[in-house]
Amino acid sequence: MKYIVCLGDGMSDWPIEGLGNQTPLAYAKTPNMDALAAQGRVGVVDTVEAPFYPGSDVANMGILGYDPAESYTGRAAIESAAMGVDIPNGYSAFRCNLVTISNETMVSFTAHHIETAAAARVLDALNQHFDGRVQFYVGASYRHIAVMPGAYPDIVCTPPHDLTDKPVVGPSEGGAAVIQALMTEAQAVVQSVGTGATDIWLWSPGTAVNLPTFHVKHGLTGGVVSAVDVVKGLGCLMGMHVPDVPGATGFLDTNYAGKWAAATAILETSDFVYVHVEAPDECGHLGDVDKKVQAIEDFDAHIIGPARAYLKANPDTRIMVLPDHATPCAIKTHSREAVPVVLAGLGIASNGATKYSEAVAVQTDWHETTPWALFKQLIC
Ligand SMILES: [Zn+2]
């Protein structure tokens, strides 16, 4: 049996007046997802348990069948794995955004989507200044990693994307004074480079993670196709194939054909593939309803369509489609409610739904309360 999970990041949403009180997913033309719904089983799943924040890191880890309560140490630890950065024993990695703050207000949590080359100049200057007390590693655009001695299991750091146009809120609880002092010390260095970034923002720390491999945990070989480090890092930590797809951008202009080609290449030698598409989440963060509808329609046409064709040619296959969490355009950030899921393919009987949407999914008889229980349904 082959297993295909197609994940539309942040795809679910709330009803929107301008769409006739439908969600973007219900409003969008999604003939392929609807065909899977008619042929298979539709329901809802709670992807993130309290007290975890409904972030992509925790949610995707759960959907891959790992309980974050056993395995999660922080987003930065996962992204470090994708970047090939080792976190030594006794050290912590922080996610390090380059941001633009003015009058104590978070003007841009991306430093206006700073170019990677400009960001690298800032991080060079920081590495020279801190001289080994903190080590900065260049990721992409505004997303970087800082590694430093110590552990910060109790620190509370606000994700910078939750502060857009709001007064900045510094870290609190265990070790907060140390981290705040680093951010303050970095300020003059960042501004001296003259890129438009004014500050570093340190958040979501983690220590080194040791996960059982996907093969040990589930008895399956597999791979992950994604544009973003937080999902690629999960694949790396799980010992899966994680190809770099040229032109995979994490936005509407991503290379869908390249992503699907990478997925089928993985399926030639492995049992399982996880195809992650970031664009719906980005559109939710922008609050752009039209773009979110387009992102969902593109996902349906360019990923779910080919997945259905694969199922037709290889009937010994199951396909599961879901988001990791909702990113409602109305609030421009993540929310925690259960998300719709559709599972179709070999041995999966219809449960009467004819469409894949939030409203249809909550009315069916299928509700999984954890994503790892859902994963067991996929591979049972
Ligand atoms: Zn997400």
Side-chain angles (χ1 to χ4, degrees), residues 232-244:
K232 293 169 85 170
L234 285 169
C236 294
L237 289 169
M238 294 171 189
M240 300 167 87
H241 299 289
V242 185
D244 283 318

Side-chain angles (χ1 to χ4, degrees), residues 7-10 54-57 59-60 276 278 281 285 324-325 327 334:
L7 193 124
D9 202 299
S56 297
D57 45 5
N60 283 279
H276 169 268
E278 173 75 357
D281 179 66
H285 283 296
D324 49 350
H325 50 74
T327 308
H334 303 178

